[in-house]
mmCIF file with all atom_site columns, all heavy atoms in Angstrom:
data_model
loop_
_atom_site.group_PDB
_atom_site.id
_atom_site.type_symbol
_atom_site.label_atom_id
_atom_site.label_alt_id
_atom_site.label_comp_id
_atom_site.label_asym_id
_atom_site.label_entity_id
_atom_site.label_seq_id
_atom_site.pdbx_PDB_ins_code
_atom_site.Cartn_x
_atom_site.Cartn_y
_atom_site.Cartn_z
_atom_site.occupancy
_atom_site.B_iso_or_equiv
_atom_site.pdbx_formal_charge
_atom_site.auth_seq_id
_atom_site.auth_comp_id
_atom_site.auth_asym_id
_atom_site.auth_atom_id
_atom_site.pdbx_PDB_model_num
ATOM 1   N N   . ALA A 1 116 ? -55.822 -194.397 95.104  1.00 98.00 ? 116 ALA A N   1
ATOM 2   C CA  . ALA A 1 116 ? -54.577 -195.057 95.514  1.00 98.00 ? 116 ALA A CA  1
ATOM 3   C C   . ALA A 1 116 ? -53.491 -194.835 94.455  1.00 98.00 ? 116 ALA A C   1
ATOM 4   O O   . ALA A 1 116 ? -52.321 -194.615 94.782  1.00 98.00 ? 116 ALA A O   1
ATOM 5   C CB  . ALA A 1 116 ? -54.817 -196.553 95.730  1.00 98.00 ? 116 ALA A CB  1
ATOM 6   N N   . VAL A 1 120 ? -49.922 -193.025 95.314  1.00 98.00 ? 120 VAL A N   1
ATOM 7   C CA  . VAL A 1 120 ? -48.631 -193.688 95.106  1.00 98.00 ? 120 VAL A CA  1
ATOM 8   C C   . VAL A 1 120 ? -47.768 -192.874 94.133  1.00 98.00 ? 120 VAL A C   1
ATOM 9   O O   . VAL A 1 120 ? -46.589 -192.622 94.381  1.00 98.00 ? 120 VAL A O   1
ATOM 10  C CB  . VAL A 1 120 ? -48.838 -195.139 94.605  1.00 98.00 ? 120 VAL A CB  1
ATOM 11  C CG1 . VAL A 1 120 ? -47.514 -195.772 94.198  1.00 98.00 ? 120 VAL A CG1 1
ATOM 12  C CG2 . VAL A 1 120 ? -49.513 -195.974 95.696  1.00 98.00 ? 120 VAL A CG2 1
ATOM 13  N N   . PHE A 1 124 ? -44.471 -191.652 95.873  1.00 97.00 ? 124 PHE A N   1
ATOM 14  C CA  . PHE A 1 124 ? -43.400 -192.645 95.819  1.00 97.00 ? 124 PHE A CA  1
ATOM 15  C C   . PHE A 1 124 ? -42.839 -192.845 94.416  1.00 97.00 ? 124 PHE A C   1
ATOM 16  O O   . PHE A 1 124 ? -42.378 -193.933 94.079  1.00 97.00 ? 124 PHE A O   1
ATOM 17  C CB  . PHE A 1 124 ? -43.898 -193.981 96.394  1.00 97.00 ? 124 PHE A CB  1
ATOM 18  C CG  . PHE A 1 124 ? -44.565 -193.832 97.733  1.00 97.00 ? 124 PHE A CG  1
ATOM 19  C CD1 . PHE A 1 124 ? -45.901 -194.188 97.913  1.00 97.00 ? 124 PHE A CD1 1
ATOM 20  C CD2 . PHE A 1 124 ? -43.870 -193.291 98.814  1.00 97.00 ? 124 PHE A CD2 1
ATOM 21  C CE1 . PHE A 1 124 ? -46.523 -194.024 99.141  1.00 97.00 ? 124 PHE A CE1 1
ATOM 22  C CE2 . PHE A 1 124 ? -44.494 -193.122 100.044 1.00 97.00 ? 124 PHE A CE2 1
ATOM 23  C CZ  . PHE A 1 124 ? -45.822 -193.486 100.209 1.00 97.00 ? 124 PHE A CZ  1
ATOM 24  N N   . THR A 1 208 ? -40.363 -198.111 93.188  1.00 98.00 ? 208 THR A N   1
ATOM 25  C CA  . THR A 1 208 ? -41.770 -198.519 93.244  1.00 98.00 ? 208 THR A CA  1
ATOM 26  C C   . THR A 1 208 ? -42.156 -199.357 92.031  1.00 98.00 ? 208 THR A C   1
ATOM 27  O O   . THR A 1 208 ? -41.821 -198.995 90.901  1.00 98.00 ? 208 THR A O   1
ATOM 28  C CB  . THR A 1 208 ? -42.680 -197.266 93.269  1.00 98.00 ? 208 THR A CB  1
ATOM 29  O OG1 . THR A 1 208 ? -42.344 -196.480 94.424  1.00 98.00 ? 208 THR A OG1 1
ATOM 30  C CG2 . THR A 1 208 ? -44.153 -197.633 93.331  1.00 98.00 ? 208 THR A CG2 1
ATOM 31  N N   . ILE A 1 209 ? -42.854 -200.453 92.290  1.00 98.00 ? 209 ILE A N   1
ATOM 32  C CA  . ILE A 1 209 ? -43.500 -201.178 91.190  1.00 98.00 ? 209 ILE A CA  1
ATOM 33  C C   . ILE A 1 209 ? -44.978 -201.285 91.525  1.00 98.00 ? 209 ILE A C   1
ATOM 34  O O   . ILE A 1 209 ? -45.347 -201.774 92.606  1.00 98.00 ? 209 ILE A O   1
ATOM 35  C CB  . ILE A 1 209 ? -42.925 -202.592 91.001  1.00 98.00 ? 209 ILE A CB  1
ATOM 36  C CG1 . ILE A 1 209 ? -41.420 -202.536 90.759  1.00 98.00 ? 209 ILE A CG1 1
ATOM 37  C CG2 . ILE A 1 209 ? -43.628 -203.302 89.839  1.00 98.00 ? 209 ILE A CG2 1
ATOM 38  C CD1 . ILE A 1 209 ? -40.761 -203.903 90.681  1.00 98.00 ? 209 ILE A CD1 1
ATOM 39  N N   . ILE A 1 210 ? -45.808 -200.801 90.633  1.00 98.00 ? 210 ILE A N   1
ATOM 40  C CA  . ILE A 1 210 ? -47.248 -200.923 90.838  1.00 98.00 ? 210 ILE A CA  1
ATOM 41  C C   . ILE A 1 210 ? -47.730 -202.154 90.091  1.00 98.00 ? 210 ILE A C   1
ATOM 42  O O   . ILE A 1 210 ? -47.442 -202.312 88.898  1.00 98.00 ? 210 ILE A O   1
ATOM 43  C CB  . ILE A 1 210 ? -47.982 -199.661 90.338  1.00 98.00 ? 210 ILE A CB  1
ATOM 44  C CG1 . ILE A 1 210 ? -47.607 -198.453 91.215  1.00 98.00 ? 210 ILE A CG1 1
ATOM 45  C CG2 . ILE A 1 210 ? -49.489 -199.882 90.336  1.00 98.00 ? 210 ILE A CG2 1
ATOM 46  C CD1 . ILE A 1 210 ? -48.150 -197.123 90.709  1.00 98.00 ? 210 ILE A CD1 1
ATOM 47  N N   . VAL A 1 211 ? -48.426 -203.032 90.802  1.00 97.00 ? 211 VAL A N   1
ATOM 48  C CA  . VAL A 1 211 ? -49.069 -204.177 90.167  1.00 97.00 ? 211 VAL A CA  1
ATOM 49  C C   . VAL A 1 211 ? -50.573 -203.971 90.347  1.00 97.00 ? 211 VAL A C   1
ATOM 50  O O   . VAL A 1 211 ? -51.091 -204.042 91.457  1.00 97.00 ? 211 VAL A O   1
ATOM 51  C CB  . VAL A 1 211 ? -48.614 -205.515 90.801  1.00 97.00 ? 211 VAL A CB  1
ATOM 52  C CG1 . VAL A 1 211 ? -49.398 -206.681 90.212  1.00 97.00 ? 211 VAL A CG1 1
ATOM 53  C CG2 . VAL A 1 211 ? -47.110 -205.720 90.589  1.00 97.00 ? 211 VAL A CG2 1
ATOM 54  N N   . ASP A 1 212 ? -51.245 -203.652 89.254  1.00 98.00 ? 212 ASP A N   1
ATOM 55  C CA  . ASP A 1 212 ? -52.677 -203.342 89.326  1.00 98.00 ? 212 ASP A CA  1
ATOM 56  C C   . ASP A 1 212 ? -53.462 -204.599 88.966  1.00 98.00 ? 212 ASP A C   1
ATOM 57  O O   . ASP A 1 212 ? -53.421 -205.075 87.835  1.00 98.00 ? 212 ASP A O   1
ATOM 58  C CB  . ASP A 1 212 ? -52.976 -202.199 88.344  1.00 98.00 ? 212 ASP A CB  1
ATOM 59  C CG  . ASP A 1 212 ? -54.421 -201.723 88.390  1.00 98.00 ? 212 ASP A CG  1
ATOM 60  O OD1 . ASP A 1 212 ? -55.320 -202.544 88.646  1.00 98.00 ? 212 ASP A OD1 1
ATOM 61  O OD2 . ASP A 1 212 ? -54.657 -200.518 88.149  1.00 98.00 ? 212 ASP A OD2 1
ATOM 62  N N   . PHE A 1 243 ? -41.567 -208.786 97.655  1.00 96.00 ? 243 PHE A N   1
ATOM 63  C CA  . PHE A 1 243 ? -40.866 -207.634 97.086  1.00 96.00 ? 243 PHE A CA  1
ATOM 64  C C   . PHE A 1 243 ? -41.396 -206.362 97.720  1.00 96.00 ? 243 PHE A C   1
ATOM 65  O O   . PHE A 1 243 ? -42.535 -205.985 97.485  1.00 96.00 ? 243 PHE A O   1
ATOM 66  C CB  . PHE A 1 243 ? -41.083 -207.590 95.568  1.00 96.00 ? 243 PHE A CB  1
ATOM 67  C CG  . PHE A 1 243 ? -40.646 -208.851 94.877  1.00 96.00 ? 243 PHE A CG  1
ATOM 68  C CD1 . PHE A 1 243 ? -41.573 -209.808 94.496  1.00 96.00 ? 243 PHE A CD1 1
ATOM 69  C CD2 . PHE A 1 243 ? -39.294 -209.092 94.624  1.00 96.00 ? 243 PHE A CD2 1
ATOM 70  C CE1 . PHE A 1 243 ? -41.171 -210.978 93.875  1.00 96.00 ? 243 PHE A CE1 1
ATOM 71  C CE2 . PHE A 1 243 ? -38.890 -210.266 93.997  1.00 96.00 ? 243 PHE A CE2 1
ATOM 72  C CZ  . PHE A 1 243 ? -39.834 -211.214 93.625  1.00 96.00 ? 243 PHE A CZ  1
ATOM 73  N N   . ASP A 1 244 ? -40.573 -205.714 98.548  1.00 95.00 ? 244 ASP A N   1
ATOM 74  C CA  . ASP A 1 244 ? -41.190 -204.638 99.322  1.00 95.00 ? 244 ASP A CA  1
ATOM 75  C C   . ASP A 1 244 ? -41.263 -203.308 98.579  1.00 95.00 ? 244 ASP A C   1
ATOM 76  O O   . ASP A 1 244 ? -41.773 -202.323 99.097  1.00 95.00 ? 244 ASP A O   1
ATOM 77  C CB  . ASP A 1 244 ? -40.608 -204.533 100.734 1.00 95.00 ? 244 ASP A CB  1
ATOM 78  C CG  . ASP A 1 244 ? -39.301 -203.805 100.775 1.00 95.00 ? 244 ASP A CG  1
ATOM 79  O OD1 . ASP A 1 244 ? -38.720 -203.601 99.697  1.00 95.00 ? 244 ASP A OD1 1
ATOM 80  O OD2 . ASP A 1 244 ? -38.877 -203.432 101.884 1.00 95.00 ? 244 ASP A OD2 1
ATOM 81  N N   . ASN A 1 245 ? -40.821 -203.292 97.310  1.00 97.00 ? 245 ASN A N   1
ATOM 82  C CA  . ASN A 1 245 ? -41.069 -202.097 96.489  1.00 97.00 ? 245 ASN A CA  1
ATOM 83  C C   . ASN A 1 245 ? -42.398 -202.203 95.715  1.00 97.00 ? 245 ASN A C   1
ATOM 84  O O   . ASN A 1 245 ? -42.762 -201.295 94.985  1.00 97.00 ? 245 ASN A O   1
ATOM 85  C CB  . ASN A 1 245 ? -39.900 -201.852 95.512  1.00 97.00 ? 245 ASN A CB  1
ATOM 86  C CG  . ASN A 1 245 ? -39.657 -203.029 94.573  1.00 97.00 ? 245 ASN A CG  1
ATOM 87  O OD1 . ASN A 1 245 ? -40.189 -204.113 94.788  1.00 97.00 ? 245 ASN A OD1 1
ATOM 88  N ND2 . ASN A 1 245 ? -38.835 -202.820 93.552  1.00 97.00 ? 245 ASN A ND2 1
ATOM 89  N N   . VAL A 1 246 ? -43.107 -203.335 95.905  1.00 97.00 ? 246 VAL A N   1
ATOM 90  C CA  . VAL A 1 246 ? -44.346 -203.530 95.141  1.00 97.00 ? 246 VAL A CA  1
ATOM 91  C C   . VAL A 1 246 ? -45.554 -202.973 95.888  1.00 97.00 ? 246 VAL A C   1
ATOM 92  O O   . VAL A 1 246 ? -45.704 -203.164 97.092  1.00 97.00 ? 246 VAL A O   1
ATOM 93  C CB  . VAL A 1 246 ? -44.585 -205.033 94.838  1.00 97.00 ? 246 VAL A CB  1
ATOM 94  C CG1 . VAL A 1 246 ? -45.992 -205.260 94.273  1.00 97.00 ? 246 VAL A CG1 1
ATOM 95  C CG2 . VAL A 1 246 ? -43.539 -205.553 93.857  1.00 97.00 ? 246 VAL A CG2 1
ATOM 96  N N   . THR A 1 247 ? -46.402 -202.278 95.132  1.00 98.00 ? 247 THR A N   1
ATOM 97  C CA  . THR A 1 247 ? -47.714 -201.870 95.620  1.00 98.00 ? 247 THR A CA  1
ATOM 98  C C   . THR A 1 247 ? -48.753 -202.584 94.767  1.00 98.00 ? 247 THR A C   1
ATOM 99  O O   . THR A 1 247 ? -48.721 -202.462 93.541  1.00 98.00 ? 247 THR A O   1
ATOM 100 C CB  . THR A 1 247 ? -47.919 -200.355 95.438  1.00 98.00 ? 247 THR A CB  1
ATOM 101 O OG1 . THR A 1 247 ? -47.037 -199.668 96.311  1.00 98.00 ? 247 THR A OG1 1
ATOM 102 C CG2 . THR A 1 247 ? -49.342 -199.951 95.776  1.00 98.00 ? 247 THR A CG2 1
ATOM 103 N N   . VAL A 1 248 ? -49.624 -203.323 95.406  1.00 97.00 ? 248 VAL A N   1
ATOM 104 C CA  . VAL A 1 248 ? -50.719 -203.950 94.664  1.00 97.00 ? 248 VAL A CA  1
ATOM 105 C C   . VAL A 1 248 ? -51.921 -203.016 94.745  1.00 97.00 ? 248 VAL A C   1
ATOM 106 O O   . VAL A 1 248 ? -52.297 -202.563 95.824  1.00 97.00 ? 248 VAL A O   1
ATOM 107 C CB  . VAL A 1 248 ? -51.074 -205.340 95.242  1.00 97.00 ? 248 VAL A CB  1
ATOM 108 C CG1 . VAL A 1 248 ? -52.320 -205.903 94.565  1.00 97.00 ? 248 VAL A CG1 1
ATOM 109 C CG2 . VAL A 1 248 ? -49.904 -206.299 95.068  1.00 97.00 ? 248 VAL A CG2 1
ATOM 110 N N   . ILE A 1 249 ? -52.489 -202.709 93.596  1.00 98.00 ? 249 ILE A N   1
ATOM 111 C CA  . ILE A 1 249 ? -53.666 -201.829 93.534  1.00 98.00 ? 249 ILE A CA  1
ATOM 112 C C   . ILE A 1 249 ? -54.882 -202.663 93.186  1.00 98.00 ? 249 ILE A C   1
ATOM 113 O O   . ILE A 1 249 ? -54.830 -203.485 92.268  1.00 98.00 ? 249 ILE A O   1
ATOM 114 C CB  . ILE A 1 249 ? -53.480 -200.747 92.430  1.00 98.00 ? 249 ILE A CB  1
ATOM 115 C CG1 . ILE A 1 249 ? -52.239 -199.906 92.684  1.00 98.00 ? 249 ILE A CG1 1
ATOM 116 C CG2 . ILE A 1 249 ? -54.755 -199.934 92.244  1.00 98.00 ? 249 ILE A CG2 1
ATOM 117 C CD1 . ILE A 1 249 ? -52.436 -198.613 93.394  1.00 98.00 ? 249 ILE A CD1 1
ATOM 118 N N   . ALA A 1 266 ? -55.044 -200.356 98.362  1.00 98.00 ? 266 ALA A N   1
ATOM 119 C CA  . ALA A 1 266 ? -53.701 -200.675 97.884  1.00 98.00 ? 266 ALA A CA  1
ATOM 120 C C   . ALA A 1 266 ? -52.960 -201.363 99.013  1.00 98.00 ? 266 ALA A C   1
ATOM 121 O O   . ALA A 1 266 ? -53.224 -201.110 100.192 1.00 98.00 ? 266 ALA A O   1
ATOM 122 C CB  . ALA A 1 266 ? -52.965 -199.402 97.473  1.00 98.00 ? 266 ALA A CB  1
ATOM 123 N N   . ILE A 1 267 ? -52.055 -202.259 98.627  1.00 97.00 ? 267 ILE A N   1
ATOM 124 C CA  . ILE A 1 267 ? -51.225 -202.956 99.614  1.00 97.00 ? 267 ILE A CA  1
ATOM 125 C C   . ILE A 1 267 ? -49.784 -202.544 99.339  1.00 97.00 ? 267 ILE A C   1
ATOM 126 O O   . ILE A 1 267 ? -49.317 -202.608 98.198  1.00 97.00 ? 267 ILE A O   1
ATOM 127 C CB  . ILE A 1 267 ? -51.391 -204.475 99.461  1.00 97.00 ? 267 ILE A CB  1
ATOM 128 C CG1 . ILE A 1 267 ? -52.836 -204.859 99.780  1.00 97.00 ? 267 ILE A CG1 1
ATOM 129 C CG2 . ILE A 1 267 ? -50.413 -205.229 100.357 1.00 97.00 ? 267 ILE A CG2 1
ATOM 130 C CD1 . ILE A 1 267 ? -53.208 -206.233 99.296  1.00 97.00 ? 267 ILE A CD1 1
ATOM 131 N N   . MET A 1 268 ? -49.110 -202.093 100.374 1.00 97.00 ? 268 MET A N   1
ATOM 132 C CA  . MET A 1 268 ? -47.717 -201.650 100.202 1.00 97.00 ? 268 MET A CA  1
ATOM 133 C C   . MET A 1 268 ? -46.994 -201.807 101.536 1.00 97.00 ? 268 MET A C   1
ATOM 134 O O   . MET A 1 268 ? -47.599 -202.206 102.522 1.00 97.00 ? 268 MET A O   1
ATOM 135 C CB  . MET A 1 268 ? -47.687 -200.196 99.720  1.00 97.00 ? 268 MET A CB  1
ATOM 136 C CG  . MET A 1 268 ? -48.333 -199.210 100.668 1.00 97.00 ? 268 MET A CG  1
ATOM 137 S SD  . MET A 1 268 ? -48.552 -197.579 99.913  1.00 97.00 ? 268 MET A SD  1
ATOM 138 C CE  . MET A 1 268 ? -50.259 -197.652 99.402  1.00 97.00 ? 268 MET A CE  1
ATOM 139 N N   . LYS A 1 269 ? -45.708 -201.488 101.559 1.00 97.00 ? 269 LYS A N   1
ATOM 140 C CA  . LYS A 1 269 ? -45.004 -201.670 102.834 1.00 97.00 ? 269 LYS A CA  1
ATOM 141 C C   . LYS A 1 269 ? -45.559 -200.693 103.872 1.00 97.00 ? 269 LYS A C   1
ATOM 142 O O   . LYS A 1 269 ? -46.020 -199.600 103.536 1.00 97.00 ? 269 LYS A O   1
ATOM 143 C CB  . LYS A 1 269 ? -43.498 -201.573 102.666 1.00 97.00 ? 269 LYS A CB  1
ATOM 144 C CG  . LYS A 1 269 ? -42.957 -200.249 102.205 1.00 97.00 ? 269 LYS A CG  1
ATOM 145 C CD  . LYS A 1 269 ? -41.431 -200.368 102.106 1.00 97.00 ? 269 LYS A CD  1
ATOM 146 C CE  . LYS A 1 269 ? -40.854 -199.251 101.279 1.00 97.00 ? 269 LYS A CE  1
ATOM 147 N NZ  . LYS A 1 269 ? -39.477 -199.467 100.862 1.00 97.00 ? 269 LYS A NZ  1
ATOM 148 N N   . ARG A 1 272 ? -44.863 -196.957 104.144 1.00 98.00 ? 272 ARG A N   1
ATOM 149 C CA  . ARG A 1 272 ? -45.513 -196.104 103.138 1.00 98.00 ? 272 ARG A CA  1
ATOM 150 C C   . ARG A 1 272 ? -46.958 -195.806 103.515 1.00 98.00 ? 272 ARG A C   1
ATOM 151 O O   . ARG A 1 272 ? -47.431 -194.683 103.315 1.00 98.00 ? 272 ARG A O   1
ATOM 152 C CB  . ARG A 1 272 ? -45.442 -196.764 101.758 1.00 98.00 ? 272 ARG A CB  1
ATOM 153 C CG  . ARG A 1 272 ? -44.039 -196.730 101.198 1.00 98.00 ? 272 ARG A CG  1
ATOM 154 C CD  . ARG A 1 272 ? -44.008 -197.082 99.729  1.00 98.00 ? 272 ARG A CD  1
ATOM 155 N NE  . ARG A 1 272 ? -42.673 -196.802 99.212  1.00 98.00 ? 272 ARG A NE  1
ATOM 156 C CZ  . ARG A 1 272 ? -42.310 -196.986 97.955  1.00 98.00 ? 272 ARG A CZ  1
ATOM 157 N NH1 . ARG A 1 272 ? -43.173 -197.473 97.080  1.00 98.00 ? 272 ARG A NH1 1
ATOM 158 N NH2 . ARG A 1 272 ? -41.097 -196.693 97.569  1.00 98.00 ? 272 ARG A NH2 1
#
Side-chain angles (χ1 to χ4, degrees):
V120 172
F124 310 119
T208 301
I209 303 175
I210 293 173
V211 175
D212 184 327
F243 303 101
D244 80 347
N245 59 347
V246 170
T247 292
V248 173
I249 301 264
I267 296 164
M268 60 191 98
K269 64 180 163 194
R272 288 193 170 181

